[in-house]
Amino acid sequence: MPQFFPEVKMVKFEGPKSRDPLAFKHYDAGEKVLGKTMADHLRFSVCYWHTFKGLGSDPFGPGTIIRKYNNSSDPMTVAEMTLWAAFEFFAKLGVDYWCFHDRDIAPEGGTLAESNKNLDRIVKLARKLQRDTGIKPLWGTANLFSNRRYMGGAATNPSPAVFAYAAAQVKKAMEVTQELGGAGYVFWGGREGYDTLLNTDMGRELDHLGAFLHMAVDYKKKIGFRGQFYIEPKPKEPTKHQYDSDAGACFAFLQKYDLVDHFKLNIEANHGTLAGHTFQHELEFCVANGILGSVDANRGDLLVGWDTDQFPTDLYDCTLGLYTLLQGGGFRTGGLNFDAKVRRQSIDPVDLFHAHIGGMDTFARALKIAARMIKDGKFARFVSQRYAAWDTAFGRKIAAGKATFAEMEKYTLTQGEPRIQSGRQEMLENMLNAYIS
Ligand code: XLS
Ligand code: CA
Ligand code: CA
């Protein structure tokens, strides 16, 4: 096989003093942090769609990036070459996981049967490359948003025939993910939303989405797929409003349709900020409600304000995210998947390495900082002191749901004005900066 990244050898850990841009300064896979290796905490994954299929197109122009593995007029040859390139990249970077959509790895054929045949051929090669390298899917998924049949959504399409096509596609994508030993399967609501309510029956569409996910749960049981199901929130883009708009909306949906036992969430940082939240907020909501699953690691751009999917380099945000994640027990089936793309002027293959090395080093630093914050326990102590009065007999009775309004009135009439305390936000922020510097 030709080498697609000959200019890069295996990426190694050289420590913070290294000046080699193609070496890790902070990510040392085997280093133990809070009793677990960095690799086991962070579970890095490379995404197929941006890293190997993204060629830098934007609404103003076509792609700028030319890749050697695209150099054939036969789509199946391109698919095979791309897979070889991908596994060379995963191995050189030293990640254990990858993520894919069905249509990223194999081209769509003229019929569903043809598409499935293409997929089977590529999956056979993927199994061989996985065996050679030991790399596995963190999760798989189906692309239910690119083909024009899905313009009005997939599970929420006004046509049951489109619903059926989408279900058939997910059925196959689940089988393939299982065959490759995937640790999970993601449902991101591609075009499950609306552009105008003038043509949309929202209640009906939500019911259909619930039915679709129940069919997936049933099929999972039927084939014995043991991977974790995830829903990935996003508030808008491509539709004006996506039904799975944020972690809160997903949780309400899962509860209403009795799906909460079968799904966790895949939180993407840039989707959180598009929803008007922070990355940490979305994770904190998941921890508080027992639905923390996996993470799509990236960042947006404050000034562009769109789903720019940039590589995560913001140490502050990553530290706060990991602080919450570690307190929530860390990843089980999930991991940090770089759902991020290089900018369209970053046209060289080596730019893909710079991007991933930067993201991995940022999270490795963040992990060490968050671990120190947890070990020292200063923030946790502050929070538990702030709520200490809830641990008294009076507080516990209210929290247990055993108190009444009349008792509250009696208490207030006898105790008078409550004593209030400072939230100490600035002190805490200074403390955080001291950890980060
Ligand atoms: C798009 C989403 C998508 C999902 C997988 O915004 O991030 O890539 O992660 O379908
Ligand atoms: Ca994503
Ligand atoms: Ca995104």
Side-chain angles (χ1 to χ4, degrees):
M1 253 312 118
Q3 290 253 310
F4 295 95
F5 304 99
E7 65 279 49
V8 182
K9 309 272 164 291
M10 301 296 281
V11 179
K12 296 216 176 72
F13 171 72
E14 289 188 0
K17 294 217 174 83
S18 167
R19 289 287 161 263
D20 181 353
L22 290 172
F24 293 120
K25 321 283 181 298
H26 303 279
Y27 180 62
D28 184 2
E31 183 183 333
K32 290 245 172 107
V33 177
L34 295 178
K36 239 165 70 173
T37 65
M38 280 195 172
D40 285 346
H41 271 295
L42 301 169
R43 295 167 59 87
F44 287 125
S45 155
V46 171
C47 92
Y48 210 86
W49 51 101
H50 288 316
T51 300
F52 306 107
K53 303 300 285 181
L55 299 174
S57 62
D58 73 6
F60 298 90
T64 50
I65 297 171
I66 297 163
R67 300 278 188 231
K68 269 195 281 180
Y69 49 75
N70 283 333
N71 188 14
S72 165
S73 55
D74 171 34
M76 285 304 284
T77 306
V78 169
E80 283 177 353
M81 291 297 114
T82 309
L83 202 65
W84 281 99
F87 275 81
E88 181 189 335
F89 183 82
F90 303 152
K92 285 185 168 169
L93 190 63
V95 294
D96 296 327
Y97 301 100
W98 64 298
C99 288
F100 64 94
H101 298 84
D102 50 358
R103 302 296 180 249
D104 303 334
I105 56 174
E108 179 147 18
T111 62
L112 180 68
E114 243 176 72
S115 302
N116 288 352
K117 207 168 129 215
N118 290 348
L119 208 46
D120 287 336
R121 196 169 125 193
I122 295 300
V123 165
K124 203 166 157 216
L125 176 61
R127 283 184 66 167
K128 176 203 150 24
L129 294 171
Q130 288 197 162
R131 236 180 292 125
D132 294 350
T133 55
I135 297 160
K136 291 264 180 76
L138 186 67
W139 47 262
T141 188
N143 178 328
L144 304 179
F145 44 89
S146 294
N147 191 292
R148 65 193 288 276
R149 83 176 71 86
Y150 296 126
M151 67 181 185
T156 64
N157 198 286
S159 155
V162 176
F163 178 107
Y165 207 114
Q169 212 182 307
V170 168
K171 174 179 177 288
K172 180 71 180 172
M174 277 170 61
E175 290 164 7
V176 160
T177 304
Q178 181 184 33
E179 196 178 334
L180 292 173
Y185 187 93
V186 161
F187 294 83
W188 166 59
R191 293 181 193 272
E192 314 293 23
Y194 60 82
D195 295 318
T196 171
L197 285 171
L198 293 173
N199 65 14
T200 301
D201 186 336
M202 189 197 280
R204 221 169 167 171
E205 293 200 353
L206 287 168
D207 288 350
H208 297 163
L209 184 56
F212 189 94
L213 295 177
H214 271 289
M215 285 162 76
V217 169
D218 290 346
Y219 193 62
K220 181 177 188 240
K221 277 190 203 137
K222 180 161 183 217
I223 62 174
F225 175 46
R226 302 236 300 277
Q228 173 65 52
F229 273 175
Y230 306 107
I231 300 232
E232 179 180 329
K234 183 175 185 178
K236 56 190 168 199
E237 195 210 12
T239 64
K240 169 197 171 81
H241 175 90
Q242 306 268 127
Y243 293 135
D244 299 330
S245 54
D246 62 3
C250 290
F251 189 47
F253 173 88
L254 291 172
Q255 289 178 99
K256 172 170 180 198
Y257 292 98
D258 196 20
L259 287 161
V260 111
D261 292 343
H262 305 286
F263 287 82
K264 303 230 179 284
L265 299 195
N266 179 40
I267 296 299
E268 178 172 320
N270 198 176
H271 296 177
T273 51
L274 281 176
H277 308 306
T278 60
F279 176 38
Q280 186 189 17
H281 166 91
E282 288 292 83
L283 293 172
E284 190 86 25
F285 183 88
C286 289
V287 169
N289 292 289
I291 49 169
L292 176 69
S294 200
V295 165
D296 273 2
N298 63 11
R299 73 182 155 97
D301 182 300
L302 268 184
L303 303 182
V304 181
W306 202 236
D307 187 23
T308 58
D309 285 336
Q310 286 167 252
F311 274 83
T313 51
D314 188 324
L315 186 57
Y316 201 90
D317 282 347
C318 294
T319 299
L320 289 172
L322 283 189
Y323 179 64
T324 288
L325 191 109
L326 288 176
Q327 284 177 306
F331 290 125
R332 287 176 186 85
T333 51
L336 287 166
N337 171 50
F338 290 109
D339 191 350
K341 57 189 176 204
V342 293
R343 299 302 91 188
R344 73 196 297 273
Q345 294 185 58
S346 302
I347 56 174
D348 294 336
V350 74
D351 289 312
L352 292 174
F353 279 93
H354 291 306
H356 285 84
I357 290 169
M360 290 164 80
D361 262 347
T362 304
F363 271 102
R365 269 177 90 179
L367 174 67
K368 287 191 264 188
I369 296 167
R372 271 195 283 126
M373 287 164 63
I374 286 174
K375 255 195 211 153
D376 293 355
K378 288 189 203 161
F379 295 94
R381 268 197 302 281
F382 183 87
V383 173
S384 69
Q385 273 160 22
R386 190 160 183 242
Y387 292 85
W390 287 95
D391 297 328
T392 60
F394 174 67
R396 273 206 293 268
K397 188 174 179 193
I398 302 173
K402 290 186 180 139
T404 63
F405 265 13
E407 284 174 83
M408 298 302 105
E409 183 184 50
K410 192 171 158 216
Y411 179 90
T412 303
L413 288 173
T414 49
Q415 300 293 317
E417 194 60 29
R419 196 175 55 83
I420 56 171
Q421 51 176 339
S422 167
R424 294 269 186 275
Q425 181 168 339
E426 294 75 13
M427 180 195 82
L428 293 164
E429 286 169 348
N430 296 349
M431 250 160 71
L432 175 62
N433 272 353
Y435 277 96
I436 287 180
S437 60

